[in-house]
Amino acid sequence: MTTGVPPARTAPAARVPAGADVLGPHPPAGPSAAQYGITPEPASRPDLLDDVADWGPVTTAAGVFRLVPVRPERDLRLITAWMNDPAVAAFWHLAGPAGTTAAHLRAQTGGDGRSVPCLGVLSGIPMSYWEIYRADLDPLARYHPVRPHDTGLHLLIGGAADRGRGVGTVLLRAVSDLVLDRRPACGRVIAEPDIRNVPSVAAFLRAGFRLAAEADLPGKRAAVVVRDRALRHAL
């Protein structure tokens, strides 16, 4: 699952690629599973998302899942490899040397905490990349109406073996549930996948999101999808 490129951010927040359906296998290169245990890691800096590092694990149909905030010194090689997968690069536009990915991560990890890049760790294995961000503080708000504390998601799953197997749908529901459980002020979870990325849009809809609008963002026409707190158990 991959999503496309949203409005470009300047520091302190990073450019937002839309996030949903590049589903992939556990990649062979990068950190070992032992580096991603069940003990929460201390956050490197405060965030504006109610401490993503402390959200804890969730049990899903695919296994135990946890969001682990990115540490570039540990994770850069792995994320760079994912960004150079042609299926991912077509929507994230971050293919190239490690410096390209590093600059994208640095804009977020060096920012004010409105966007937190994370690895998604499933059954102890890092297998996806997420950006959890404050949609109300993001350039998205220039193109689509947002509400205070609306929280955005971007997702890619790192390799080809898991694509099309429904893993993205499972994780999108799990992470949007985490957002609603851990952020009581947040009434909606939002994403803006590229309208051309049909598998991505479909995964969001299967995960309980609804299609709210289409919007012309820099570099793409997006399907703005929303999961409402009030409807979370109905969809």
Side-chain angles (χ1 to χ4, degrees), residues 203-230:
F204 277 107
L205 298 180
R206 288 193 300 268
F209 288 73
R210 60 180 174 84
L211 180 62
E214 295 183 13
D216 289 314
L217 308 185
K220 71 176 182 183
R221 184 163 180 80
V224 180
V225 293
V226 174
R227 188 170 185 209
D228 304 271
R229 178 181 294 278

Side-chain angles (χ1 to χ4, degrees), residues 116-173:
V116 180
C118 295
L119 287 183
V121 179
L122 183 63
S123 301
I125 304 295
M127 49 71 67
S128 52
Y129 171 74
W130 299 73
E131 291 171 357
I132 315 298
Y133 68 96
R134 283 283 297 270
D136 58 329
L137 303 178
D138 189 82
L140 173 64
R142 302 172 193 163
Y143 303 92
H144 181 77
V146 296
R147 301 172 187 171
H149 293 280
D150 277 356
T151 302
L153 301 181
H154 302 139
L155 162 65
L156 71 84
I157 298 183
D162 289 333
R163 296 175 191 168
R165 300 200 299 115
V167 177
T169 296
V170 170
L171 298 185
L172 284 169
R173 181 175 285 274

Side-chain angles (χ1 to χ4, degrees), residues 83-96:
M83 292 299 182
N84 279 278
D85 181 326
V88 175
F91 295 101
W92 286 72
H93 305 290
L94 289 172

Side-chain angles (χ1 to χ4, degrees), residues 31-32 34-37 39-45 53 68-79 101-102 105-106 109 116-119 129:
S32 68
Q35 293 177 262
Y36 300 92
T39 303
E41 300 186 13
S44 58
R45 62 191 302 118
V68 177
V70 164
R71 293 192 346 227
E73 70 279 6
R74 177 193 62 193
D75 305 324
L76 179 60
R77 180 185 176 195
L78 182 62
I79 299 171
T101 299
L105 296 176
R106 188 163 54 244
T109 58
V116 180
C118 295
L119 287 183
Y129 171 74

